[in-house]
Amino acid sequence: MRSAPGPMAPSQDLFAPKDSIRRTAHIQSLEEYQRLYRQSIEQPEEFWAEQAKALTWFHPPHTILDADPNQVDFSWFNGGRLNASFNCVDRHAKTRPGKPAIIWAKNEPGEYEVITFRDLQHHVGRVANVLKAHGVRKGDRVCIYLPMVPELAYTMLACARLGAVHSVVFAGFSAESLRERILDSGAKVLVTANEGPRGPKRIPTKAIADEAVEGLSQLEAVLVVRRTATEVNMQPGRDFWLDAEMARHRGTCPAEWMDSEDPLFILYASGSTGKPKGVLHTTGGYLVYAATTHRYVFDAQPDDVHFCTADMGWITGHTYLLYGPLLNGTTTVLFESIPTYPDAGRLWRVVDDLKATILYTAPTALRALIREGDTWVLKSSRQSLRLLATAGEPINPEVWRWFHDVVGEGRCPVVDTWWQTETGGVLITPLPGVTPCKPGSATLPFFGVEPLLVDDEGRVIQGNGVSGNLCLARTWPGQARTLYGHHQRFVETYYSRFPRLYFTGDGCRRDEDGYYWITGRVDDVLNVSGHRLGTAEVESALVAHEAVAEAAVVGFPHDIKGTGVCAFVTVKPEWQEASTEQMVGALKEQVRHAIGPIATPDRIVIVSGLPKTRSGKILRRMLRKIASGELDNLGDTTTLADPSVLDELLARQQPVARPRS
Ligand code: WT7
């Protein structure tokens, strides 16, 4: 059943590690990786028991892995008791109190605030006591809707300290999206801010939150971070300023002894159908996986300054901005701004100011910066950098080379990490300075990870030089355990397409050397600027508009975003006289308001009919090709119920197509 898990000797087009590169402190050679990889596959329990020793356990686990694949139920480190906040904060506050834990890079360039491990312990304890005073207990859910401010980290760790489950909602999401997530998780407290400076804008965070929680009786309190001096509406009895609340409490708060399988957090992710799913991660396995992957993938060193540009609202923020680095006692950068504010030199300025050693970012950000020219990069020193990494989407080889040659001056390995919200941590990745890289390939599986390629009929594809649906043959500690409150949906979403295998939703090629190349989603999920967006979500937002009869949303190649959003829409008869320009504007606003700016369609095409089969199924594949400008092979057009629909689409394709340059 198992196909080529280990690497073969790589052949062509390799960026062989240079001798000048500092070798990983943890893995010295490709042979050592291969040996350890084999051990992790042959004796997973021994391997993960060893890794678990990096954490402080109040009580050690009695069993490393309990799995019931028939029920799609996995438990790691059963019997173990630990606390995430204790592991991230207290043990370092004791041994290295003065070391910076978090460096907050504020929205305005040159403004920084250093939070040492001692400070962090104090702030986390205070916030935990505030939450407790507002009735938060072990198992309760707390929703966090905050810009990138230190209180975001304090609140997550404070929840973990009490055993409450945090649910961070990206502050770019709309009121409607926030409300949906508060309802689904049953949160009893919401933590938000008066305002969120982000680049040149100021997001009215509290006003959006007010709209989201209107009339929700489940919320016992709304705690508000005072980020700016701006006054906002405060509802007496419900809304409290967090700073004033913190001033009432001391910084000492005992850490709950959590079971390994107790929930740590919920994070909502888009799927191919329905509303976003509450991906649930538990304590022991997630933490062991976060610490282990952070150590090996980023080759964590004691003097690192780890700069991950992701927002905390995504899994990358959770695992490699907060938990992974702090578990390993690494200084982590919390970046409030955006890479283009006030100009395209911002990231390099932060790198130089803070002497960042690791830069972890998304290909979409790099593509946007490349467009601005190399001078922004060349003006900076970047001598502190020793490692570059990307995540979220396939990296174009030319972007990889720019990152490697221009940003890293050929000195720094580039680590392309493939993973998902559901995987908790990185699954396919090079090890820096050890794995020879091929630009555009995430290369080889991490320890304990067994990728499989499966054809559409569910047959495992053996050997190399093959493509298929990317599945995982076995569980790993960082795997999400369920969708909050919807276990059956978890089973159906991930384990029904290919029974007993976890299906990632990605297509993938395994080349002649056994290297993995992710080719993108094979389901109805779009990867827009490294963010996951369900086409169904955007369609629901569109049809919620009174003028819309039907909508079909597809992706198309986009220079900066990777994938752009294109919506084909039919309008109701009474709206057909409306101006197209106004309608398109109104529908873009509709989606932005319903989901958030990231979902705003790049193109909206109003047509008189959608291409459908005689049984009424929308021919999405045809729409995808039209949107991408691939007109020579539209598939079988004889299945169309009404062929004139296609003629109209083709006549309209000019403004739709935006081929990749
Ligand atoms: C989807 C998961 C990386 C975690 C943050 C995104 C795509 C992710 C890569 C990569 C090619 C990638 C996949 C995956 N993806 N990393 N290195 N190369 N594709 O997590 O929002 O859950 O999205 O992002 O399509 O399924 P997410």
Side-chain angles (χ1 to χ4, degrees):
M1 278 289 285
R2 286 174 193 151
S3 59
M8 323 257 293
S11 54
Q12 23 61 35
D13 192 23
L14 299 182
F15 273 67
K18 295 198 182 110
D19 282 330
S20 63
I21 290 171
R22 180 156 48 138
R23 288 297 159 103
T24 161
H26 307 287
I27 302 287
Q28 300 298 329
S29 65
L30 190 61
E31 294 67 40
E32 190 182 346
Y33 157 74
Q34 288 167 324
R35 186 174 53 71
L36 214 53
Y37 179 79
R38 267 196 305 278
Q39 189 213 327
S40 74
I41 293 297
E42 284 159 15
Q43 299 174 302
E45 299 197 39
E46 286 77 355
F47 179 85
W48 288 112
E50 193 55 37
Q51 302 305 319
K53 290 181 187 158
L55 301 187
T56 301
W57 298 79
F58 298 140
H59 189 279
H62 54 65
T63 309
I64 302 304
L65 172 62
D66 271 319
D68 181 349
N70 291 321
Q71 303 301 321
V72 188
D73 200 4
F74 313 100
S75 308
W76 285 89
F77 309 112
N78 267 340
R81 309 201 93 194
L82 76 171
N83 184 284
S85 163
F86 185 91
N87 272 280
C88 288
V89 186
D90 300 43
R91 53 190 191 142
H92 308 308
K94 192 158 185 190
T95 54
R96 58 203 99 165
K99 179 174 178 176
I102 296 174
I103 305 179
W104 183 31
K106 298 194 196 186
N107 191 46
E108 293 308 318
E111 292 186 11
Y112 300 100
E113 248 176 64
V114 175
I115 299 132
T116 64
F117 278 102
R118 186 198 286 116
D119 299 334
L120 185 61
Q121 183 172 32
H122 181 80
H123 295 312
V124 169
R126 281 190 158 186
V127 175
N129 283 326
V130 171
L131 291 172
K132 222 187 215 175
H134 284 280
V136 175
R137 299 286 178 270
K138 181 173 171 175
D140 289 343
R141 277 80 57 216
V142 172
C143 181
I144 306 177
Y145 184 69
L146 280 176
M148 292 285 278
V149 292
E151 288 84 353
L152 171 52
Y154 305 160
T155 309
M156 292 167 77
L157 293 165
C159 288
R161 199 161 189 88
L162 301 176
V165 182
H166 59 71
S167 162
V168 178
V169 176
F170 172 55
F173 275 125
S174 67
E176 209 174 299
S177 300
L178 173 60
R179 185 182 182 88
E180 214 169 83
R181 286 157 174 76
I182 292 173
L183 284 169
D184 185 78
S185 65
K188 72 196 286 195
V189 169
L190 170 68
V191 184
T192 187
N194 58 341
E195 249 191 340
R198 194 159 186 271
K201 295 189 193 143
R202 284 181 168 218
I203 314 293
T205 316
K206 176 66 164 60
I208 301 170
D210 282 344
E211 191 187 332
V213 304
E214 173 88 60
L216 282 191
S217 56
Q218 75 187 58
L219 278 183
E220 289 174 16
V222 175
L223 303 171
V224 185
V225 173
R226 204 190 301 265
R227 172 61 185 91
T228 64
T230 304
E231 285 306 322
V232 290
N233 163 54
M234 294 290 280
Q235 185 175 309
R238 185 197 70 183
D239 300 351
F240 304 87
W241 290 106
L242 184 63
D243 56 359
E245 294 293 291
M246 283 172 75
R248 293 151 44 117
H249 293 277
R250 62 192 288 233
T252 298
C253 175
E256 282 284 331
W257 286 35
M258 304 303 288
D259 274 7
S260 285
E261 285 297 329
D262 278 333
L264 178 60
F265 66 84
I266 299 169
L267 186 56
Y268 286 85
S270 295
S272 52
T273 56
K275 291 192 190 303
K277 313 165 284 197
V279 173
L280 185 123
H281 284 284
T282 57
T283 309
Y286 173 81
L287 294 177
V288 169
Y289 202 72
T292 308
T293 50
H294 173 260
R295 195 164 58 247
Y296 287 121
V297 174
F298 299 98
D299 184 23
Q301 311 276 344
D303 55 354
D304 269 335
V305 175
H306 183 94
F307 181 16
C308 167
T309 67
D311 192 280
M312 201 75 91
W314 314 111
I315 192 69
T316 311
H318 282 57
T319 309
Y320 299 114
L321 200 162
L322 192 74
Y323 286 112
L326 293 185
L327 285 170
N328 290 324
T330 305
T331 301
T332 187
V333 177
L334 187 77
F335 180 48
E336 186 180 33
S337 197
I338 53 173
T340 49
Y341 180 75
D343 54 49
R346 184 61 188 276
L347 290 187
W348 324 121
R349 171 157 187 187
V350 174
V351 165
D352 285 350
D353 285 353
L354 303 183
K355 305 270 178 294
T357 56
I358 297 168
L359 177 64
Y360 191 24
T361 191
T364 187
L366 297 176
R367 288 192 297 264
L369 294 177
I370 288 174
R371 198 175 56 171
E372 304 296 322
D374 293 358
T375 39
W376 293 108
V377 183
L378 300 175
K379 279 206 299 218
S380 64
S381 154
R382 288 161 285 111
Q383 284 306 307
S384 57
L385 285 175
R386 64 170 183 82
L387 178 58
L388 304 171
T390 66
E393 47 178 328
I395 181 165
N396 331 50
E398 65 279 13
V399 175
W400 194 103
R401 288 201 169 82
W402 183 81
F403 206 23
H404 181 268
D405 297 346
V406 180
V407 175
E409 298 172 337
R411 278 182 295 115
C412 308
V414 170
V415 179
D416 171 3
T417 62
W418 173 84
W419 56 300
Q420 310 181 297
T421 306
E422 295 86 344
T423 70
V426 169
L427 294 196
I428 302 183
T429 179
L431 296 184
V434 167
T435 312
C437 287
K438 304 188 192 190
S441 168
T443 75
L444 299 170
F446 188 71
F447 303 124
V449 173
E450 194 184 341
L452 281 185
L453 298 186
V454 179
D455 69 16
D456 288 343
E457 281 69 51
R459 286 182 297 247
V460 174
I461 305 169
Q462 308 283 357
N464 288 338
V466 294
S467 296
N469 299 295
L470 179 61
C471 293
L472 298 157
R474 60 168 76 201
T475 179
W476 62 98
Q479 181 175 21
R481 303 296 193 263
T482 193
L483 297 177
Y484 182 74
H486 304 280
H487 190 67
Q488 195 49 36
R489 192 170 168 211
F490 179 77
V491 175
E492 281 155 19
T493 307
Y494 305 104
Y495 284 88
S496 68
R497 179 76 178 80
F498 305 112
R500 296 175 76 92
L501 297 177
Y502 171 89
F503 177 41
T504 63
D506 282 332
C508 182
R509 181 161 70 84
R510 185 169 51 228
D511 75 8
E512 297 302 334
D513 298 316
Y515 275 44
Y516 291 87
W517 300 73
I518 309 298
T519 51
R521 301 291 303 197
V522 295
D523 53 8
D524 288 323
V525 171
L526 306 180
N527 190 329
V528 179
S529 301
H531 302 313
R532 242 158 86 172
L533 193 63
T535 53
E537 273 175 88
V538 185
E539 289 164 5
S540 309
L542 287 167
V543 297
H545 191 280
E546 53 179 348
V548 175
E550 275 191 305
V553 169
V554 296
F556 66 96
H558 187 288
D559 286 348
I560 303 293
K561 297 177 165 189
T563 305
V565 179
C566 177
F568 293 90
V569 173
T570 62
V571 295
K572 292 177 184 161
E574 61 272 29
W575 289 84
Q576 267 156 14
E577 300 307 311
S579 112
T580 305
E581 198 181 325
Q582 276 176 8
M583 183 63 74
V584 166
L587 294 182
K588 284 190 179 179
E589 183 47 37
Q590 165 79 13
V591 177
R592 171 187 290 267
H593 191 79
I595 304 175
I598 52 173
T600 312
D602 298 278
R603 308 221 169 244
I604 292 184
V605 189
I606 296 172
V607 288
S608 54
L610 295 176
K612 292 184 185 170
T613 61
R614 285 184 198 92
S615 57
K617 217 172 149 271
I618 295 175
L619 288 161
R620 284 165 183 288
R621 197 194 298 245
M622 189 176 285
L623 288 175
R624 257 196 302 272
K625 292 209 161 146
I626 291 172
S628 309
E630 295 170 31
L631 304 177
D632 11 324
N633 178 18
L634 289 176
D636 185 2
T637 54
T638 59
T639 55
L640 274 173
D642 176 3
S644 72
V645 164
L646 181 60
D647 297 337
E648 185 196 1
L649 281 168
L650 289 177
R652 305 285 301 281
Q653 75 81 23
Q654 210 48 32
V656 185
R658 185 171 166 193
R660 216 180 189 132
S661 59

